[in-house]
Each structure stands twice: as C-alpha cells, then as structure tokens.
Amino acid sequence: MIHFVLPAFNEEAGVRAVCRAVCEHAAQVAGPEPFRIGVVDDGSTDATAERVADFARDNGRVELLSHPSNCGVPKAFKTGLEWALGGAGDEDIVMVMEADKTNDPALIPALVRAVRAGADVAVASRMIRGGAYVGFPAAREFFSRTGNELLRARYRVPGVTDYTMFYRAYRAAPLRAVLRDPGDLFAGRGFAVNARLLLRLHRAGACFAETPHEYRYNLKQGPSKMGLVSNIMIYSRVLIKP
C-alpha cells in the first residue's frame, strides 16, 4: 500500500486539485497498489479543511488530519508520518508531497518503482539532469542551491543531490525504525525537518535513489510559508548538528 502525506497550511485554492491528481497518478502505479491520502491541515485560517473534508466525502481514500492551530512544519510531518506508519506494513511506501501544486504527481509511479527496485528512500530531485527550478524567485533559488551544496559537502550521502526537497517516497520499515526514537527531530519550526530526517536515515544505513523533478514554484497559489532568514538560520544549525 502507498500512504500519501500532504502537509497543508492555507492551501484552499489548490488542495482539492492536488488530491485529485494524486488519486489519478497513484491509480496508474503497476499493480495497481491500494493507496490512501492523509492531508495534515496545520491550523489553516482559510477553507483548506473544508475543501479537504468535501473531497473526502466523495473519496474514501482521503482523510483530513487537523491541528487546531498552526504548529509548524515539523509537527505537521510528525502527525502525517505517525498516521501513515500506524497503518503501514514494513514494505509499504510512505510518500510526502506538498499540497500547493508545486510537486508533480506524474512522478508518483517513478518514485514508487525506485523503492520497489531496492531504495529505502526515493527523492524527487531538482539537482540532477532533467530536474529544475521553475519560476523561483532569485533569492529563494540561490538559498536552496547554496544550502544543498553545503549539505552535500558536509554529509556526502550516496545517491542524494537534493537534501531539502519534501517530495520523497520512503520504505516504511526503515522510516519506522528511525522514528521509534526521534529525539529532537520534530522540535521547533521551519523546513529543515526533512533534511534532518534524510540524514538520520543515512546514519541508519538507508539506501537512496533520485528521480528528476521540475519544481514549479510558479504553480503555487498564495504566498510562500517559508521565512527566508529564519530558515537560513535553521539550516545553518543542521550543518553543525543534523
């Protein structure tokens, strides 16, 4: 089974379309494999929860997971991953995607194939041939590229070029093993939790693969939730202590 986790904060404009596209492309995976989608509404102040609840009434594969207030990306990850692993077998796949239309659901079959071929983690990478940043503000692209270069130089994880991308497929067993003792993985706020999770899986012996991904920032509907300066500080700490 494939368990999709979609963290969402104020994504009323696009979250239904994302859920619909995930359903369409997941159904194309060879098998076909059963799947379910957990949308983590992190205390949205718009109609995100209502949009997801409406979709879920018509599609039993979708479930709304809600925080009463905005708790930040790490807590949204924690809620979503615990939900996924709570119903997952060891060989199941847990896939994390953004809910703002920037992650291309057409990559779902390729990411699933990479895990089924032996990877413990398959990353949708902007950094390898065929991947790209599309429509990114110059400052954000510079920060992302520089951050990834620094993380590659510091940690040198085999098979990984994109350390900061949310869009990944995980084999459930190694993910569950790492999260049995998460320590401070989900502490604080900010977007660096996904880099920390990747590095902890690496230390646990996980095998990685990548699939090229054109990250289309120009499809985002609404402002970015990433504070540039605060996340620079958070990623700086990851370079010191993963």
Side-chain angles (χ1 to χ4, degrees):
M1 177 174 257
I2 308 169
H3 312 262
F4 291 92
V5 175
L6 277 64
F9 178 66
N10 289 347
E11 301 294 354
E12 66 177 2
V15 68
R16 282 176 59 92
V18 172
C19 288
R20 188 178 300 109
V22 170
C23 288
E24 291 172 358
H25 288 282
Q28 297 172 14
V29 175
E33 296 196 40
F35 65 91
R36 61 182 185 144
I37 302 168
V39 181
V40 185
D41 174 44
D42 190 23
S44 296
T45 56
D46 65 1
T48 296
E50 291 83 350
R51 298 284 189 274
V52 176
D54 287 345
F55 191 90
R57 277 192 285 271
D58 298 327
N59 191 313
R61 298 181 185 275
V62 178
E63 185 173 343
L64 174 65
L65 315 171
S66 292
H67 295 164
S69 60
N70 178 227
C71 299
V73 175
K75 299 301 189 300
F77 261 58
K78 184 174 187 291
T79 295
L81 293 176
E82 287 179 347
W83 167 84
L85 290 171
D90 283 352
E91 294 303 310
D92 283 3
I93 292 174
V94 177
M95 192 174 299
V96 178
M97 299 178 63
E98 296 183 68
D100 60 3
K101 302 178 80 172
T102 58
N103 293 171
D104 184 0
L107 289 186
I108 289 170
L111 292 167
V112 170
R113 286 194 296 270
V115 175
R116 294 295 181 231
D120 295 310
V121 184
V123 179
S125 175
R126 298 160 291 188
M127 306 296 175
I128 59 175
R129 184 180 181 86
Y133 290 81
V134 180
F136 253 69
R140 290 189 183 278
E141 181 173 346
F142 174 78
F143 163 65
S144 178
R145 288 186 181 278
T146 301
N148 274 290
E149 288 173 5
L150 291 171
L151 287 165
R152 282 199 301 273
R154 171 75 169 83
Y155 294 109
R156 300 183 183 280
V157 178
V160 177
T161 61
D162 199 332
Y163 288 66
T164 63
M165 192 69 208
F166 272 40
Y167 195 5
R168 299 177 190 154
Y170 303 87
R171 190 187 307 278
L175 182 62
R176 179 181 285 117
V178 166
L179 295 186
R180 283 197 186 102
D181 183 17
D184 62 353
L185 177 63
F186 301 112
R189 301 179 72 90
F191 286 67
V193 59
N194 53 320
R196 288 199 180 99
L197 178 56
L198 185 148
L199 294 171
R200 293 187 187 195
L201 283 158
H202 168 56
R203 290 208 306 269
C207 174
F208 296 85
E210 289 191 317
T211 294
H213 177 223
E214 290 189 354
Y215 186 101
R216 295 190 172 274
Y217 192 93
N218 56 320
L219 297 181
K220 183 187 291 288
Q221 295 177 291
S224 174
K225 286 76 176 179
M226 186 181 80
L228 195 58
V229 174
S230 62
N231 276 278
I232 288 172
M233 298 302 296
I234 292 167
Y235 276 109
S236 297
R237 291 196 287 274
V238 175
L239 287 167
I240 298 169
K241 181 181 180 295

